[in-house]
Amino acid sequence: MIQDDKHTGPATAGFAYRDAAARGGRMRVWLARWRPASPILMLFLIGVGSVFALIFFGGVSLDREAAQASQQEMATQFAERTKSLESISHDYAWWDEAVDNLAMQFSLQWAKDNLGAQVIGASYPQVTGALVLDDANRVLYGFLGAGELAPHASPAVRGGIERLAVQARGGSGTGPTPVHAVLEIGDTLYLAAASAVTPFEPGTPAMRSHPVLVLMTALDPAALGEIGMETRVDGLRIAAAIGAGEVGQPLIGADGTTLGYLAWIPPRPGQHLIRRLSLCLQA
């Protein structure tokens, strides 16, 4: 029993040594077998890595181009809406009846009958607000949404409505020169176009005052939803700042103040491409 106990340790160590040697031998055999194929394996791995890198950087570039195209399309959409609003304000301001009833002698009834929400809004649904400003840029008549403003009640406006009126009166030529900006009334931002009331017929007696007509489109959820559908973007909103993963453009008043940002999530065709190709490579 004593001799068996003495030889137990060396015998176990010997078996462990032979197992390690056997494993090392098998590893050398495996390496020797696959050594000729190692260059091909390395090329394969490099090729796969290159494909993934091309897909990734190509997708990033594609997303960048899509974001730029989305911004350009949004700018075009706003330019078209602004041009339409300017055209309407130009036509209503370059009207002898407007001169007679707004500049020569102000008629509240005429303003209601011709510039009210139920009249101008019925013909031009995009017009959701109107203001007639006197020489001191006080509101003679106006409406916001479906409600008329009280006579001579001037709402608090941010964005420089006085500056907008000055620009409208500063036009040269025979007809009004419309100008535009973004204004904030209450908690709503408006796309606004202003035109100075101007006689249509030459030789008209000098006007007693020089009112300005401001027509507005509310950038409310309904309008943003419509713009989002036309530009094919998701999550279009008015924000104090552009969030992560969004693109946008500033909404600037006539006085140069940034009243907010139009922000949205741009299309991401690159990420979609990366996901699809990655699934194909994994398969």
Side-chain angles (χ1 to χ4, degrees), residues 31-194:
L31 290 175
R33 180 181 301 171
W34 286 98
R35 186 176 292 114
S38 58
I40 298 175
L41 181 61
M42 289 298 297
L43 288 175
F44 173 77
L45 294 176
I46 292 172
V48 171
S50 299
V51 169
F52 272 106
L54 287 173
I55 292 173
F56 176 77
F57 288 110
V60 170
S61 177
L62 194 61
D63 283 348
R64 186 183 302 114
E65 293 176 0
Q68 292 173 351
S70 178
Q71 288 177 302
Q72 182 61 43
E73 188 173 4
M74 187 66 68
T76 300
Q77 176 68 212
F78 257 71
E80 291 176 352
R81 289 173 177 265
T82 299
K83 185 177 180 180
S84 173
L85 203 59
E86 286 183 338
S87 177
I88 300 169
S89 73
H90 172 276
D91 291 347
Y92 272 83
W94 199 20
W95 186 14
D96 285 341
E97 279 195 31
V99 173
D100 292 340
N101 292 279
L102 298 180
M104 295 300 190
Q105 184 174 356
F106 179 70
S107 170
L108 179 60
Q109 189 60 50
W110 185 93
K112 290 182 177 182
D113 292 342
N114 292 272
L115 302 175
Q118 303 302 321
V119 180
I120 193 171
S123 300
Y124 303 99
Q126 67 268 44
V127 178
T128 57
L131 300 173
V132 178
L133 307 180
D134 65 10
D135 287 356
N137 300 322
R138 294 170 300 197
V139 176
L140 294 172
Y141 171 78
F143 75 87
L144 296 173
E148 286 188 346
L149 300 176
H152 303 287
S154 298
V157 182
R158 289 185 62 226
I161 192 170
E162 297 85 1
R163 178 62 179 165
L164 187 67
V166 169
Q167 293 172 350
R169 294 189 182 97
S172 59
T174 57
T177 302
V179 294
H180 68 273
V182 175
L183 301 176
E184 183 179 21
I185 303 177
D187 57 356
T188 302
L189 296 185
Y190 291 83
L191 183 62

Side-chain angles (χ1 to χ4, degrees), residues 167-220:
Q167 293 172 350
R169 294 189 182 97
S172 59
T174 57
T177 302
V179 294
H180 68 273
V182 175
L183 301 176
E184 183 179 21
I185 303 177
D187 57 356
T188 302
L189 296 185
Y190 291 83
L191 183 62
S195 296
V197 174
T198 306
F200 184 81
E201 295 292 339
T204 302
M207 295 190 304
R208 296 176 58 184
S209 62
H210 298 82
V212 170
L213 175 62
V214 182
L215 300 183
M216 300 176 289
T217 297
L219 297 177
D220 54 16

Side-chain angles (χ1 to χ4, degrees), residues 19-32:
D19 289 343
R23 285 196 299 271
R26 286 194 296 270
M27 180 62 71
R28 285 192 295 272
V29 171
W30 186 87
L31 290 175

